[in-house]
Amino acid sequence: MRKLFVLIIISLAAMTMNANDRLYINDFNINAGESKTIEVLLNNDTAYCALQTDIVLPQGLSIAVDDDEYIVDLTNRKGRDHVVSTNMLGDGSIRVFVSSQGSNSFSGNSGAILTIEITASSSFTKGNVTIKNSVLVEEDGTRHQLANEIAKVNGGIPIFIPGDVNGDGECTGSDVTALYNYILYNDTSAIVNGDQNGDNQITGSDVTAVYNIILGI
């Protein structure tokens, strides 16, 4: 019941602005095809017991999933009964809730409050992660809207995965389809690594190469 009460407060209570508090991610690097744990940091002058934020990832980055749950965890700044929950919004952003049934405050005034496991596609190069609609809630229900934050993300050298034509990190029939669409209709929309045999052109021999990888030949 107390958790529900906190979430209602986040949704309905009047907000104030607190320029001294920040919820943000530092700029980071991630190689194409790599998974990496990043930190969401909270700097706060006031004691807070709950938060809400929306995380917007660029194309090519995603939050890893385990048992149909996004891998978003609380750090040791949590209280004994803080819990985290997530869901995807209609615009593709990931909303994160952290609440405490006992309205216990986060410990400390700076440092990581959440960790998130991020995965980069084999074609990722660079982009921005946006933290928006961030709200912090005090024990008495007072909530504070924070400024949006942007972190710059740079990708490394793409990892070449044999047979992965469309850059989704695996070799499947969709890679064959991408090659056929390119050869027959000059459709380049799904082509990332079309030259599979290294002859500097995309032809039927690349289709054969992908078929052989799928069949294990």
Side-chain angles (χ1 to χ4, degrees):
M1 182 64 69
R2 292 293 295 275
K3 178 181 177 182
L4 177 62
F5 176 70
V6 169
L7 295 182
I8 291 173
I9 288 172
I10 291 178
S11 301
L12 300 178
M15 283 190 292
T16 63
M17 297 294 292
N18 195 332
N20 294 324
D21 295 336
R22 292 181 66 199
L23 190 70
Y24 64 100
I25 293 173
N26 286 325
D27 297 346
F28 65 95
N29 298 324
I30 185 170
N31 292 325
E34 180 185 13
S35 291
K36 188 172 190 176
T37 299
I38 62 170
E39 297 179 332
V40 179
L41 299 108
L42 172 63
N43 292 350
N44 56 294
D45 289 340
T46 305
Y48 297 109
C49 67
L51 68 83
Q52 169 192 298
T53 192
D54 297 341
I55 301 173
V56 184
L57 299 173
Q59 184 174 1
L61 289 188
S62 60
I63 299 178
V65 174
D66 182 31
D67 289 334
D68 295 325
E69 297 287 341
Y70 292 110
I71 303 179
V72 178
D73 296 311
L74 289 161
T75 69
N76 58 9
R77 292 189 63 187
K78 68 176 182 177
R80 59 183 175 81
D81 65 348
H82 276 106
V83 294
V84 59
S85 59
T86 60
N87 67 285
M88 178 179 286
L89 302 182
D91 63 359
S93 61
I94 306 301
R95 174 156 291 178
V96 179
F97 290 107
V98 180
S99 60
S100 164
Q101 291 184 348
S103 295
N104 293 305
S105 297
F106 303 122
S107 64
N109 298 103
S110 64
I113 190 71
L114 296 166
T115 60
I116 302 175
E117 186 172 335
I118 299 290
T119 299
S121 71
S122 60
S123 58
F124 178 72
T125 54
K126 62 181 179 179
N128 294 326
V129 175
T130 301
I131 303 293
K132 67 176 186 177
N133 301 328
S134 298
V135 178
L136 298 173
V137 183
E138 297 183 50
E139 183 177 351
D140 65 2
T142 302
R143 67 177 190 156
H144 302 268
Q145 177 80 51
L146 305 186
N148 293 345
E149 300 276 354
I150 295 177
K152 295 180 180 179
V153 187
N154 291 315
I157 299 173
I159 297 173
F160 179 78
I161 299 175
D164 180 20
V165 174
N166 59 13
D168 65 355
E170 56 185 351
C171 177
T172 65
S174 62
D175 298 295
V176 176
T177 300
L179 286 173
Y180 273 128
N181 287 341
Y182 174 81
I183 294 170
L184 296 176
Y185 310 110
N186 198 32
D187 179 5
T188 61
S189 61
I191 296 292
V192 175
N193 299 310
D195 180 20
Q196 289 292 311
N197 63 4
D199 64 357
N200 296 317
Q201 55 185 337
I202 300 175
T203 64
S205 61
D206 297 297
V207 177
T208 301
V210 173
Y211 265 127
N212 288 343
I213 292 169
I214 294 174
L215 296 174
I217 300 175

